[in-house]
Amino acid sequence: DCLILVILAAYFCVSPQTYRVGVVHLVPVAWRDRLSELLSESENTLWRWMLGRLLAMTLVGICFGVGLALLGIAMPVELGLFAAVVTFVPNIGAIAAVIPALLLAANKGSGTFLGVLVLYLCIQFAESYLVTPLVQQRQVSLPPAIVILAQVVAGLLFGFWGVAFATPLVAVVVLWVKRLYVQGWLESSYST
């Protein structure tokens, strides 16, 4: 699944205009300009989401690396970098980030092990429930509760991939609902 997603993403990134033109030609001529506009806004929304995600990943990596260095754990830079990369997947990635650090901490005794666990829990809490929702609210105008709710619902329905792609998908869905339903239908029908 992962390999197929990476290959598809590469094809979409190399020539997005080809796929965009194809999708636009699938709708009636009267809707094409509006769809093209929505696709441009969606692209902008996803770009801002990605910048917000990169910010959260960077913060996690730095905090985890510095915390591990202060605790005297070997390879804090590498473990911080690993934590930053796997944090791309909300909540689940952070669990993967702590396992190598806990294994290294186990050799140093229970106090160090507990220190790494507390460090992980603090960073995970701050990233999942403070940093990511607030950054996403600023970057893509998603209220923090919507981000958390989308991850929970998508995780229950679609498992790992649901959690991984819940926030960008809900950002695009909110944009489309706002443009098509609220502005295009509700506000236009009340203004006449």
Side-chain angles (χ1 to χ4, degrees):
D1 289 348
C2 228
L3 180 61
I4 291 171
L5 281 175
V6 168
I7 291 170
L8 283 174
Y11 280 125
F12 286 134
C13 288
V14 168
S15 60
Q17 196 61 27
T18 303
Y19 302 103
R20 182 188 187 128
V21 168
V23 168
V24 169
H25 280 101
L26 291 175
V27 299
V29 174
W31 297 356
R32 288 181 183 173
D33 287 340
R34 185 70 179 131
L35 178 60
S36 184
E37 201 176 291
L38 275 170
L39 289 174
S40 292
E41 287 184 66
S42 298
E43 178 184 340
N44 188 31
T45 296
L46 290 173
W47 177 246
R48 288 192 326 265
W49 170 81
M50 180 57 93
L51 289 177
R53 196 73 209 127
L54 289 172
L55 174 64
M57 292 166 61
T58 302
L59 288 173
V60 165
I62 290 170
C63 290
F64 203 58
V66 168
L68 291 175
L70 292 174
L71 289 170
I73 302 297
M75 302 185 310
V77 173
E78 293 85 353
L79 291 171
L81 184 60
F82 177 69
V85 170
V86 297
T87 299
F88 179 80
V89 178
N91 305 321
I92 295 171
I95 294 170
V98 76
I99 292 172
L102 286 175
L103 291 173
L104 290 171
N107 293 333
K108 293 190 159 247
S110 60
T112 306
F113 184 86
L114 187 59
V116 170
L117 188 60
V118 168
L119 173 69
Y120 158 75
L121 290 174
C122 290
I123 292 171
Q124 174 60 21
F125 179 83
E127 188 271 331
S128 294
Y129 299 107
L130 298 173
V131 174
T132 293
L134 293 174
V135 166
Q136 294 307 324
Q137 180 181 17
R138 179 162 172 80
Q139 287 297 99
V140 291
S141 302
L142 281 178
I146 298 292
V147 172
I148 295 168
L149 184 62
Q151 291 174 353
V152 170
V153 171
L156 290 172
L157 293 174
F158 304 109
F160 171 79
W161 294 114
V163 173
F165 294 106
T167 308
L169 289 177
V170 81
V172 171
V173 166
V174 165
L175 170 73
W176 282 53
V177 166
K178 191 184 301 180
R179 295 293 185 261
L180 294 176
Y181 181 66
V182 175
Q183 292 173 354
W185 177 260
L186 292 179
E187 292 176 2
S188 67
S189 60
Y190 285 114
S191 63
T192 55

